[in-house]
Every structure is written in structure tokens, then in C-alpha cells.
Amino acid sequence: MARLFDAYIIVDWSAAEGKKTGEQSVWIGVAKRDARFRPAFESHNPATRAEGEALLRKLVSESMRRGERVLIGFDFALGYPVGTAARLGLKGAPWSAMWGFIGAEVKDKADNTNNRFAVANKMNRLMTDGPRPFWGAPAKQVQTWLSATKPDDVYEGTHEFRATETAASKGKLKPKSVWQMHGAGVVGGQTLLGIAMLNRLVQDWGSAVAVWPFGTGWHALTSDDVEPLSVVVAEVWPSLLPQKPEPGEVKDETQVRTLAQHLLRLDEKGELGALFAPPAKASAKLKTQVETEEGWILGV
């Protein structure tokens, strides 16, 4: 059975301030077949998000020249809870309107300094004219519409989680909300910075890329779906898989390796396409919500 993809790239993004490698930094893992068709893996740990973005461009450019198809999984949310774009007064498809807004507002410099707290502050002002729904900031980043701690009514009028995060919450797996900007294990900052970066990549790659499920539809992918493309982008959560570190690996490196190799193996067995399908009991309302605004975590 023909594989859907030739390479599987997993990106563990980071909202780190300043250059940083090792734990809690950007990790990019690549699984593919080598010249002898043996499974191979390589990891990269760029010190800044700008270096990470440049590496992704290089990896994809090389794959395009070889006529290969690439699946890229990013470990940040690709959408926001339903209704967010409307509360911001954005027009058009909610997910792409959000990407365009975030892409225009976020400034992320080559040394990793960025304005993510200022963007969250502005979005709060536009949505509620109060310190909600984004919350959490170090003392020096507290602003008029962004508080250091979680207000009692912070999620009034909105949802704390997307449908996919609710579905993924089981056992010890407890997703963080995209609205939380500061604290241990938060995802709010890296989501803002990650979407801004991904918005640039998708615009530059044009018709060669589709973002699942927004640009592909929420269904099992077949060779007919991916044949016209060079890149499919998806949201991933590496913690869904058991992790077994190899000697010398930090947690982030283990996660990108484990997931990249897992996706390669599924594709080899002809089972990867089914991972893109919705749960069996997904309603028509949920499908519309996921395909137009919220997105979904691959494998949930």
C-alpha cells in the first residue's frame, strides 16, 4: 500500500524569551526513509524561533524539490474556542481570519523577544474590554486588560477549552487552556507565536499546503486528498503517546521522536489516513465548528 507521506516532521514550539536550547526550547524531529529505505530519524534544536522557522522552510523546500510529500505536526493550538473570531469582529472564515489577525499583531524578533502579552491584552480589550478571557502575566507584563492571576469570571461568555481539548482530557492528561498566558506548562503564548509563524509559512507555500482540518475537511485522508499537495499541516499533542527516552534525550526531544516515528509506522501499515477522521459520533454541528474555527488534535 502506497504511503500518504514521505517525511513526518514534528515541531515542539516554545515561547522562550532569549536564545535557549535543551529543555523547554524549540525541537524539530524528522522521520523518513533513508537512501536504503530504512527508517531514519534526526532531531534539531534551534536556539530561537527564527532559526526554527528558517529550518522548517529549508526542510520543506528540499522535500518539494525531490517531489516528496510532508506531514508537519505542530504542538500548539491551530484554532480558538468557537465564537472567538466573531467577538473580535473579524470577517471571513473564522480560522483564517484569526490567523491573519494574529499574524499582523504578533512581533517576534530574531533574539526571541516578542509582544505576546501586549497582543493578549489587545485581544481582551477588543473582546470584553476587561481582563478576560486571556489571563496570566509576570509582574512586568501586567497590563490594563491582562491580569497576573485568573479572575473569577475569566471565561464568562466564552469556553475555557475547545471541543478537542475536552475530548483529549482523560486520566492524567489535562490540557491547558489557550487563554492562559503564564505559568507552568501553559500554551497561550506559544499558540500566539506559533500561529503567527505558521501563517507566514502557509502564505508562502500557497496551494502546495493544506491545513487539516480547515483546508482538507474533517475526514480520513486518502492518496487522492494528498496527491496534489506537498505539505499537510496538523495539530498534535505528543503526550497522547507513551514516552520512552533514549540515553541523553531531554523530554522535548523524546516527544518529537516518538510521535514522528509513530506516524511513519502508521503510514507504512496504511493506517495513518484514518487518524484524520472525526470520532464516530461527531455531530454535524461539531464538524462545522471544528472545520471552520476550532481545529482538532490529530489522533484524539
Side-chain angles (χ1 to χ4, degrees), residues 193-210:
L193 297 171
I195 287 178
M197 174 271 300
L198 192 47
N199 185 59
R200 291 189 293 271
L201 294 181
V202 168
Q203 287 185 342
D204 290 347
W205 291 336
S207 61
V209 61

Side-chain angles (χ1 to χ4, degrees), residues 143-173:
Q143 302 177 43
T144 304
W145 295 279
L146 185 65
S147 62
T149 56
K150 183 179 181 180
D152 292 336
D153 58 350
V154 68
Y155 300 126
E156 181 179 338
T158 192
H159 301 281
E160 180 177 6
F161 296 108
R162 297 173 298 153
T164 187
E165 289 149 350
T166 300
S169 181
K170 52 189 176 182
K172 295 182 179 180
L173 292 178

Side-chain angles (χ1 to χ4, degrees), residues 243-259:
Q243 307 292 317
K244 185 177 181 180
E246 293 184 348
E249 282 188 337
V250 301
K251 177 182 177 181
D252 314 78
E253 184 178 11
T254 300
Q255 289 185 329
V256 298
R257 175 184 55 77
T258 300
L259 183 51

Side-chain angles (χ1 to χ4, degrees), residues 2 14 63 94 96 108 127 165 204 216 229 242 250 262 275 278 282 298:
S14 168
S63 292
S96 60
D108 195 4
M127 285 190 285
E165 289 149 350
D204 290 347
T216 63
L229 302 167
V250 301
H262 175 69
L275 213 62
L298 188 64

Side-chain angles (χ1 to χ4, degrees), residues 175-188:
K176 294 284 188 178
S177 172
V178 292
W179 303 123
Q180 185 178 354
M181 292 292 294
H182 185 60
V186 298
V187 297

Side-chain angles (χ1 to χ4, degrees), residues 179 225 244 269 272 280 294 298:
W179 303 123
D225 294 314
K244 185 177 181 180
K269 295 186 291 185
L272 180 57
E294 288 196 343
L298 188 64

Side-chain angles (χ1 to χ4, degrees), residues 215-237:
T216 63
W218 196 18
H219 58 79
L221 295 187
T222 67
S223 56
D224 288 340
D225 294 314
V226 301
E227 192 277 332
L229 302 167
S230 296
V231 182
V232 172
V233 167
E235 178 181 342
V236 298
W237 191 18

